Amino acid sequence: MSNLPKTSLGVALIGTGFMGKCHAMAWNNVSTVFGGARPRLVVLCDVNKAEANNHAEQFGFEHATTDWQGALADPDVDIVSITTPNGFHRPMAEAALKAGKHVWLEKPMALTLEDAQAMMDKAAQYPEQITMLGYNYLRSPSFKAACSMIEKGEIGALHTFRGVYDEDYSADPDLPWSWRMTHEGGGLGALGDLGCHLVSQMVALMGPVAELTAQSHIAIPQRSSPDGPRAVENEDSAMAMLKFVSGAQGSFATSRIARGRKCRLQWEIHGSDGTIIFDQENMNELWVHKSGDAGFTRHLSGPEQPEFANFCPAPGHNFGFNEQKIVEARDLLAAIAGDHNVGPNFKQGLEIERIIHAMSASQGCPVILDRPWQKI
C-alpha cells in the first residue's frame, strides 16, 4: 500500500487536449481508486479563454485562465500537470519548479537533448519538488508482470530484445502539415511521439543501452498548409540495432505512417530459459514460453497483479489506458508523501532522451552511449 498525502493538494492543469483530459480524469479518480486525500482541482489553463472556461467546468476545476505564469504563481497550487505542445515543456516545467511546485509533465521531455539536460539540472536545484514524466505504459499490470518474471529469473539470462511501436496517424499523405512535423514545435517525430515510450519499456526490461546504430526516414517530405506546401522536418519512421550494457542485443523500430496500426507497442524478449511477448493492442495479456513447454501460454491480467484489484476484483476484466494514468497520478502523490519516486523523473527521462536523440543523430553510424554520447 502506497503512502499517500493526508492533506489535499492543489492542482493546476495546463492544456485541454487528449492528454489534458487524461490528466483531469486521473486527478478526479485517484483518491476514489487508491484512497488518500482528494486533490483539489484549482485552475485550468488554456490559450483560448472560452475553451478554458468550458473545460474547467467539464473537468471540475475551480476556475480557468489563459495565463500559465499566473497559474504557476497561484499559492493554492501544489502540483502542475503540463500537457501542452512539446515546445512549451521546458519553459513551463522550469517555471513550475522555480515557483515551488511538483511537476507532472507529458512526454517527450523536451525538444532537444540540450533542453532535457537543462531541465534535469534545474530539477536538481529543487530536490524537494517531485518530477514525473508521462510514461503511462509503464503502469500496465501485464508490463509489471513481465518485469517481475525477468527479475525472478523465470526466463533466465536475457539474450535479445525486439521491439516496435507503430501507429498510422500520419500515414495519409493528404494529412495537413502541423507543428508536430517541425523541429521548433515538435522536436523529434516518430521517435519523440512514439519511440520514447518503447525506449522507456525497453530500458526497464533490459537495462541501459551501451551502443546503437540507427537510421530515420521522412517518407512524406511535404504537407499541405493554408500557406502552401510546407516541409516535414522530423522523421516519419526510425529503426535501430542496439547493444545493452549486459551484453544482450536488440532491435527497435517505430513509425507514425504504418497503415492499419493503431497502438502497436509490441516487444518480445528471448532469454536462456524462455520468451515473453507483449502487445499494447492486447494489453491485458502476456504470452510466455518456458524451457520444456511445447509452445506459449497466455497470461491474463488479474487482481493478483499490482494495482489491478484496486479497479476490479475479477480476473480477465480488462485494464485500460486511463487506468494507467490514474496509477501514474497515484505514484506521483506517493512520491510527494515520501515514498520512493518510481518515475521516470527528469533524471531518468534524460536517459530516455539520450537514446532517442542518439538514434536521430546516428544515420547509420554507430553511437556509444557514454556521457555525453558520441559517434564512434
Side-chain angles (χ1 to χ4, degrees):
M1 177 67 70
S2 297
N3 182 32
L4 293 171
K6 296 186 171 50
T7 58
S8 182
L9 298 178
V11 174
L13 171 62
I14 308 176
T16 60
F18 167 41
M19 293 314 302
K21 186 172 184 178
C22 288
H23 278 236
M25 291 171 67
W27 288 126
N28 272 301
N29 287 285
V30 63
S31 64
T32 302
V33 177
F34 292 108
R38 184 176 297 276
R40 292 176 291 107
L41 305 188
V42 176
V43 55
L44 181 145
C45 181
D46 190 271
V47 67
N48 182 294
K49 180 61 174 176
E51 287 294 303
N53 288 333
N54 290 338
H55 283 93
E57 182 178 359
Q58 177 185 351
F59 296 164
F61 282 80
E62 294 172 9
H63 63 276
T65 183
T66 60
D67 176 14
W68 65 266
Q69 291 97 336
L72 298 186
D74 191 326
D76 290 333
V77 170
D78 303 292
I79 305 168
V80 180
S81 280
I82 302 172
T83 68
T84 60
N86 305 342
F88 294 98
H89 286 189
R90 178 181 174 182
M92 289 181 174
E94 290 185 348
L97 289 166
K98 188 175 180 180
K101 316 301 184 184
H102 306 288
V103 178
W104 186 10
L105 173 67
E106 272 309 305
K107 46 61 61 187
M109 185 172 171
L111 293 176
T112 67
L113 188 59
E114 292 75 20
D115 283 346
Q117 179 71 59
M119 292 164 69
M120 191 208 75
D121 293 341
K122 179 65 70 173
Q125 297 174 20
Y126 300 93
E128 307 84 8
Q129 273 107 265
I130 301 300
T131 60
M132 183 169 289
L133 292 161
Y135 285 100
N136 53 296
Y137 296 124
L138 297 174
R139 272 69 184 184
S140 159
S142 292
F143 173 76
K144 290 187 174 183
C147 290
S148 179
M149 290 179 189
I150 290 171
E151 186 177 343
K152 293 176 182 176
E154 293 185 21
I155 64 168
L158 304 185
H159 291 326
T160 307
F161 174 91
R162 294 178 182 168
V164 298
Y165 191 175
D166 294 337
E167 294 193 12
D168 67 356
Y169 60 86
S170 291
D172 185 352
D174 293 328
L175 182 76
W177 176 93
S178 79
W179 61 266
R180 289 187 177 276
M181 299 167 184
T182 69
H183 295 307
E184 183 178 3
L188 298 179
L191 285 166
D193 251 4
L194 306 176
C196 60
H197 275 301
L198 178 56
V199 169
S200 75
Q201 291 200 338
M202 177 181 74
V203 172
L205 293 161
M206 300 294 295
V209 174
E211 181 182 331
L212 63 84
T213 303
Q215 290 187 334
S216 60
H217 178 56
I218 300 176
I220 305 170
Q222 286 190 329
R223 300 275 185 173
S224 63
S225 80
D227 299 321
R230 296 285 298 270
V232 174
E233 299 173 358
N234 52 29
E235 73 286 344
D236 290 317
S237 62
M239 304 179 75
M241 301 297 295
L242 310 107
K243 181 179 180 181
F244 297 93
V245 170
S246 66
Q249 63 178 356
S251 66
F252 168 104
T254 187
S255 174
R256 62 187 182 189
I257 55 167
R259 290 282 191 179
R261 295 298 186 182
K262 304 306 176 186
C263 189
R264 189 198 181 198
L265 175 54
Q266 183 183 72
W267 48 258
E268 63 179 75
I269 295 174
H270 304 156
S272 58
D273 297 320
T275 296
I276 303 175
I277 299 174
F278 172 78
D279 187 341
Q280 180 67 25
E281 289 183 354
N282 297 288
M283 64 173 288
N284 285 280
E285 61 187 45
L286 289 174
W287 288 90
V288 180
H289 169 86
K290 294 183 180 180
S291 180
D293 293 347
F296 284 83
T297 301
R298 184 172 70 145
H299 291 237
L300 286 176
S301 293
E304 73 281 0
Q305 294 170 350
E307 284 85 42
F308 190 103
N310 293 88
F311 294 90
C312 180
H317 291 62
N318 291 348
F319 208 79
F321 181 91
N322 287 304
E323 281 80 359
Q324 294 174 141
K325 217 67 189 170
I326 295 170
V327 176
E328 201 169 76
R330 187 282 311 270
D331 288 345
L332 175 59
L333 290 173
I336 292 170
D339 278 8
H340 171 67
N341 185 359
V342 298
N345 59 25
F346 281 9
K347 183 177 181 180
Q348 295 161 325
L350 177 61
E351 295 305 301
I352 296 171
E353 295 289 326
R354 289 175 67 244
I355 293 170
I356 60 173
H357 282 278
M359 290 179 181
S360 176
S362 169
Q363 296 306 316
C365 297
V367 177
I368 297 175
L369 272 294
D370 59 9
R371 287 177 174 82
W373 59 262
Q374 62 185 30
K375 290 186 182 180
I376 296 175

